[in-house]
Amino acid sequence: MSIQIQNVSKAFGSFQALDRINIDIQTGELVALLGPSGSGKTSLLRIIAGLEELDQGAILFDGKDITDVNPKERNVGFVFQHYALFRHMTVFDNVAYGLKVRPRKTRPSKADIQKKVTELLKLVKLENFADRYPSQLSGGQRQRVALARALAVEPKVLLLDEPFGALDAKVRKDLRRWLRKLHDDFHITSIFVTHDQEEALDVADRIVVMNNGKIEQIGSPEEVYDHPNSPFVYDFLGNVNLFKGRIQNGKLKHGSFEADIPELFSQNHEEAIGYVRPHDIQIEKTKISEDAVHTTISHIHIIGPIVQIELKRTDAEEFLEAEVTKEHYHSLQLKVGEQVYVRPKQLKVFIPEDFSI
Amino acid sequence: MNILPVRKRKRRNIIPGFGLSLGYTMLYVSILVLLPLSMVFINTTTMNWSEFIETITDERVVASYKLSFGTALAAGILNVIFGTIIAWVLVRYPFPGKRIVDGLVDLPFALPTAVAGIALTTLYAPQGWVGQFFDFKIAFTPLGIIIALTFIGLPFVVRTVQPVLQNFNGEVEEASASLGANRLQTFIKVILPELIPAILTGFSLAFARALGEYGSVVFIAGNMPMKTEITPLIIMTKLEQYDYAGATAIATVMLVVSFLLLFIINMIQWVTNRKFLHS
């Protein structure tokens, strides 16, 4: 089922949670709503589910306006961050709930319910836990029960609110891979909310980056990661180094640093910030170009195959972070305290006034 | 070679003061509850067995058991229904004067029961403000007793259910709605089961209180032997006639039956609790 979100706004008192949001979601897509807390992502998800009312705008499912439709008639599966399982019911009864509450005409027979629930429990690998109560399960297991429960009603849309937020890192990774696989097998249009950029990049087909109730950028994970269209997106998706300076004749200048910015050819700006990802920073032992900065290595962290290097600029009281592969690190033979030159391989410049409101 | 003897270490509880607090609890319960109650039994033993049986199976006394337990049960059930509704309204909906209503709930506790009894009797007497609108008698019948007992037991269910509702996770209701359940189904299948332990607690408190209630009932009951005479009144009457053994004999029956009933309620509660609060 495709979902259109048209011009949706929502305020809580004087706080504008959502401000004219427009998103088109295709059938079978897996979309991540990514943003910091308070960005409105959860409000948007709850509005799609019908758990929250919107102030203006419309929600369309397959082109049909469902803005005023009761949540119980939307055929939406909702998964909560804290699972929201019925704790007085067994795992089996939790999953069967959505089928059992149907009106008699459409309610499946007892045998059919049994069959369906067993199938779903097998899918979430909990077939041996049918008689347990939620309190007897681990967090990861509980969230799988919640997923099975949501899937039992054969929803056209699956909405997940920070589904893995309360789980520990390892379980989280397993579950999100599993969710991706589930989605690839069933092709249910799914939207999940997360504040974890890694999770969004890892799982989603498309990412909607939100901030302050507005959409910052919509695009595939590569698009938003490699070509962020605003400083916020740059900052929010992964680590970033800043070069705060000015643009003079199409060049970003800061201290002894000077770099050509082709897209700002012959322009002048008082204020400009260059953004560089740590893995786009080249470390060299000698100065070979104007855009190299003289630095001192202040810290080296080796994390598996990646080496993180913290550098202090000698021309300014600023620190830079670089990421190199282990091989490259060994071939350079870097040591703490060593003086090296640092050059951004890819630099994106934003002029602040374009983004200040 | 020296082999260090393996000493069995005394198990220590991380939370300090276990011995002291348990000892205190035992002493307190013994002096305040067990000792007075055992006096009832000891006093009863001054009668012989046939006297005892005769006293407790006296026609008038048996009628009073039925009345006392019946009206206390009815009042307990009424309090469960209306107490739950009041708690629900107080927790779920904002309305003007909510705090005042919230405070009013406790008033039956603060009021001397005799005052409550007199007030209710004037209201429900055949010529009273409320009583005049009914063609049947309310005061001086078991119905009046039920009203008095409901009045004094009102706070119990409200105050036990209220905090549970307050802490109720709203997401669970939303989950139920998104799974296609209507409001009634959500209430019966999701909310009510979570309230049952609190409701049972409130019920047993209200019931126990109603069973022993004397002050408010004697005014509204009319105290007609065989019809509206409650057991506590019979006990009082016997005491006034210096028939201590007779009074304690009837008290023994009340005590044993109350204990059994409360025990059963606690058992039910234990089973329902175990269902979802870990096993």
Side-chain angles (χ1 to χ4, degrees), chain B:
Chain B
M1 200 173 74
N2 261 333
I3 298 169
L4 284 168
V6 181
R7 259 193 305 168
K8 220 178 181 177
R9 276 193 39 206
K10 214 177 126 190
R11 252 174 199 255
R12 277 185 177 275
N13 201 320
I14 294 294
I15 306 161
F18 171 73
L20 186 67
S21 56
L22 182 74
Y24 170 75
T25 307
M26 285 308 184
L27 186 71
Y28 193 81
V29 170
S30 302
I31 292 175
L32 243 80
V33 183
L34 283 181
L35 202 59
L37 289 189
S38 51
M39 282 318 290
V40 171
F41 290 94
I42 292 166
N43 228 324
T44 312
T45 52
T46 56
M47 301 172 105
N48 64 39
W49 184 249
S50 60
E51 276 174 340
F52 175 70
I53 295 292
E54 199 185 318
T55 314
I56 63 167
T57 54
D58 180 63
E59 209 183 359
R60 205 170 136 186
V61 177
V62 172
S64 82
Y65 296 147
K66 285 182 191 156
L67 182 70
S68 268
F69 283 103
T71 50
L73 197 70
I77 290 167
L78 278 175
N79 270 325
V80 162
I81 298 166
F82 294 102
T84 308
I85 294 174
I86 292 171
W88 178 267
V89 170
L90 285 177
V91 172
R92 287 305 174 101
Y93 312 107
F95 58 90
K98 179 168 161 166
R99 283 186 183 274
I100 297 170
V101 176
D102 199 52
L104 282 178
V105 167
D106 288 328
L107 225 54
F109 274 176
L111 210 61
T113 50
V115 178
I118 293 166
L120 288 171
T121 312
T122 10
L123 273 181
Y124 290 100
Q127 303 309 320
W129 283 9
V130 178
Q132 58 180 318
F133 298 112
F134 293 89
D135 338 327
F136 52 90
K137 261 169 72 175
I138 296 174
F140 318 124
T141 68
L143 196 60
I145 303 177
I146 292 173
I147 289 173
L149 295 181
T150 310
F151 174 81
I152 51 120
L154 169 77
F156 289 110
V157 176
V158 180
R159 292 297 180 231
T160 50
V161 172
Q162 211 175 3
V164 179
L165 263 179
Q166 229 139 25
N167 294 330
F168 193 76
N169 180 1
E171 281 188 350
V172 174
E173 276 171 72
E174 291 175 347
S176 171
S178 78
L179 289 166
N182 60 36
R183 277 161 204 259
L184 187 67
Q185 284 171 321
T186 302
F187 183 78
I188 291 173
K189 287 177 178 257
V190 174
I191 301 171
L192 201 58
E194 299 255 344
L195 297 183
I196 292 273
I199 289 177
L200 274 176
T201 305
F203 172 78
S204 52
L205 289 171
F207 175 73
R209 171 77 208 274
L211 213 48
E213 177 61 15
Y214 173 77
S216 62
V217 179
V218 284
F219 291 98
I220 203 165
N223 308 329
M224 281 169 286
M226 305 298 296
K227 281 194 188 125
T228 58
E229 195 177 36
I230 55 167
T231 314
L233 181 76
I234 291 194
I235 297 173
M236 255 327 260
T237 319
K238 288 210 183 290
L239 287 177
E240 277 165 2
Q241 293 160 354
Y242 303 106
D243 180 8
Y244 293 127
T248 51
I250 298 166
T252 309
V253 175
M254 286 282 273
L255 206 61
V256 170
V257 176
S258 307
F259 179 76
L260 283 177
L261 285 173
L262 292 177
F263 186 74
I264 291 166
I265 294 169
N266 270 320
M267 283 298 285
I268 298 171
Q269 211 167 10
W270 184 69
V271 170
T272 49
N273 264 340
R274 203 182 53 148
K275 242 175 130 181
F276 53 90
L277 301 175
H278 263 293
S279 53

Side-chain angles (χ1 to χ4, degrees), chain A residues 46 51 71-72 76 78 80 82 84-89 97-98 100-101 133 135-136 149-150 153, chain B residues 169 171-172 174-182 185-186 189-191 193-194 275-279:
Chain A
R46 290 173 57 83
L51 299 175
K72 77 184 189 85
V76 156
F78 201 98
F80 295 84
H82 298 289
L85 293 177
F86 308 129
R87 55 185 193 144
H88 60 281
M89 294 184 200
Y97 185 81
K100 283 185 181 167
V101 295
Y133 285 93
S135 61
Q136 298 166 306
R149 183 179 69 176
V153 294
Chain B
N169 180 1
E171 281 188 350
V172 174
E174 291 175 347
S176 171
S178 78
L179 289 166
N182 60 36
Q185 284 171 321
T186 302
K189 287 177 178 257
V190 174
I191 301 171
E194 299 255 344
K275 242 175 130 181
F276 53 90
L277 301 175
H278 263 293
S279 53

Side-chain angles (χ1 to χ4, degrees), chain A residues 17-206:
Chain A
L18 293 170
D19 188 9
R20 283 160 290 153
I21 299 288
N22 286 289
I23 310 172
D24 270 2
I25 293 161
Q26 307 305 313
T27 307
E29 231 183 341
L30 177 53
V31 172
L33 298 179
L34 176 67
S37 49
S39 61
K41 53 194 192 312
T42 295
S43 301
L44 183 60
L45 196 77
R46 290 173 57 83
I47 284 174
I48 299 169
L51 299 175
E52 204 87 65
E53 287 187 9
L54 40 73
D55 295 344
Q56 55 163 313
I59 306 280
L60 279 69
F61 282 2
D62 271 341
K64 225 177 83 205
D65 188 348
I66 52 107
T67 312
D68 297 320
V69 174
N70 204 304
K72 77 184 189 85
E73 274 128 34
R74 289 196 187 191
N75 203 1
V76 156
F78 201 98
V79 176
F80 295 84
Q81 179 177 5
H82 298 289
Y83 332 121
L85 293 177
F86 308 129
R87 55 185 193 144
H88 60 281
M89 294 184 200
T90 60
V91 167
F92 184 95
D93 289 334
N94 262 285
V95 178
Y97 185 81
L99 301 171
K100 283 185 181 167
V101 295
R102 284 193 188 165
R104 195 150 296 171
K105 280 177 292 175
T106 54
R107 192 190 308 157
S109 71
K110 255 201 169 125
D112 285 345
I113 292 179
Q114 172 87 32
K115 199 167 143 253
K116 172 104 199 173
V117 173
T118 313
E119 229 168 72
L120 280 162
L121 287 179
K122 210 168 265 173
L123 181 76
V124 297
K125 301 192 197 79
L126 287 171
E127 61 265 47
N128 297 326
F129 293 80
D131 297 328
R132 301 259 190 119
Y133 285 93
S135 61
Q136 298 166 306
L137 302 179
S138 72
Q141 290 169 332
R142 286 183 207 183
Q143 197 56 294
R144 270 154 40 208
V145 175
L147 261 162
R149 183 179 69 176
L151 291 172
V153 294
E154 288 171 12
K156 301 246 177 63
V157 179
L158 190 59
L159 303 173
L160 306 107
D161 182 12
E162 305 240 8
F164 316 128
L167 304 171
D168 58 65
K170 175 94 175 74
V171 179
R172 203 143 131 182
K173 203 151 197 166
D174 287 350
L175 262 186
R176 73 186 191 219
R177 286 280 145 77
W178 180 82
L179 174 70
R180 180 69 239 187
K181 198 181 156 298
L182 185 86
H183 182 263
D184 293 343
D185 292 347
F186 288 87
H187 289 292
I188 304 173
T189 310
S190 309
I191 306 175
F192 77 101
V193 157
T194 179
H195 61 259
D196 180 348
Q197 32 102 2
E198 201 189 314
E199 196 167 286
L201 293 169
D202 196 17
V203 179
D205 294 325
R206 222 148 48 106

